[in-house]
Each structure stands twice: as C-alpha cells, then as structure tokens.
Amino acid sequence: EYACAVLFDEKKRPREITPNNSADGVKILLTPRFSIPVYIFIKDTEEISAGIQEISVQPRQGGTTINVTLQNTGNVHIRPMGTVLILNLEGEIVKNIPMGKSLPVFPGYKETIPVMCPNLPAGSYSAVATIEISKDKIVQKKTAFHTQP
C-alpha cells in the first residue's frame, strides 16, 4: 500500500491578517488548502488482517472506560468499527455500546480505541469487543472486569 495526498490551494487571492500584538508590522498571508488522501494498492495482493491485542478497563468519574487495542497485521490500512457488549455474570447483555468508526490504522500499527461506558452497579462483568475490519471480516475478544461501589 502506498499513501499520499493531493493538495489543492484556493485560487483566490490569499487573505492577509495582522497578529494582535504585532508592533513590528508583521502580516500573515493565508491560503486555504484542501487535502485529499490517495491510497494505492496492487490488485489481488491486499491482506486484510488484524487482532485485538488487549482489552483494558479503567474506572473514571461517572463510569468506566474500556480500551480496546487493535493491531493491524495485514498489508493495507483498515478503518475499524464495532461494538462493545457488557454482559453480567448470567451472560445477559447489560449495555451495547457502539465504538464508532476509527481513523485509518496502517499496516504494522496499533490503535487503542476508548469506549465510554456509563455507570454500572458494583459487580462482575464481561466486555466483548467485536470489530469489523472489512466488509466480511470481524475480530472479537472478551475480558472479565469488576466495578466498585
């Protein structure tokens, strides 16, 4: 995979501004620039692969943060999205929290995706992270955790 960006500058005349505390007459010219990412893949060589390395749970004010660390083991970038299920001891779903869509995770890199969970009563739970790494591939991992009153 090769990644680059094509930049476009607005053709309008640059805007001139003067900083507030500029006693020496310094002026700044601003030209709006737009960036469009371009990804190039060699057809039929893409390997989409990833794994959840770790799920860690941290108490915070007003709830719990569940950190899902995903490692891209393929050779192209992925844009993971998914959910975290919170299960009680009986295996019943207590919460279903969407993770949203992540920024690109490039080959060989890992990303920790925080998921905010509102207050849970004190007790024992399991967090099940399910992440879609492509249209037909998912990865999943489960971890147990406890909350304090």
Side-chain angles (χ1 to χ4, degrees):
E1 172 180 17
Y2 292 95
C4 67
V6 178
L7 303 176
F8 296 93
D9 289 346
E10 269 196 20
K11 200 169 183 172
K12 297 178 184 176
R13 187 171 159 220
R15 197 172 97 193
E16 189 176 283
I17 63 170
T18 304
N20 285 344
N21 297 322
S22 178
D24 57 3
V26 171
K27 295 187 185 231
I28 300 171
L29 293 178
L30 294 178
T31 302
R33 176 173 281 175
F34 302 96
S35 174
I36 298 175
V38 178
Y39 302 99
I40 300 170
F41 308 99
I42 299 171
K43 189 175 178 175
D44 299 328
T45 64
E46 305 99 321
E47 291 178 33
I48 299 173
S49 176
I52 299 173
Q53 284 195 325
E54 175 185 25
I55 300 175
S56 63
V57 180
Q58 297 174 324
R60 64 173 172 81
Q61 184 70 25
T64 303
T65 300
I66 299 160
N67 294 301
V68 181
T69 302
L70 182 74
Q71 171 83 40
N72 184 347
T73 56
N75 65 0
V76 294
H77 80 279
I78 56 175
R79 290 182 181 261
M81 63 182 192
T83 59
V84 173
L85 291 179
I86 307 297
L87 309 173
N88 62 18
L89 282 176
E90 291 76 37
E92 299 165 328
I93 298 173
V94 176
K95 299 215 182 276
N96 182 356
I97 308 166
M99 297 174 77
K101 193 169 194 175
S102 170
L103 291 171
V105 180
F106 291 97
Y109 286 85
K110 62 182 168 182
E111 184 67 36
T112 299
I113 304 165
V115 179
M116 308 305 178
C117 178
N119 275 339
L120 291 169
S124 298
Y125 299 92
S126 293
V128 179
T130 303
I131 300 176
E132 182 180 311
I133 59 173
S134 73
K135 290 179 184 171
D136 58 351
K137 291 186 180 182
I138 64 168
V139 292
Q140 196 171 55
K141 189 165 185 160
K142 181 178 181 180
T143 192
F145 69 98
H146 307 283
T147 58
Q148 303 295 327

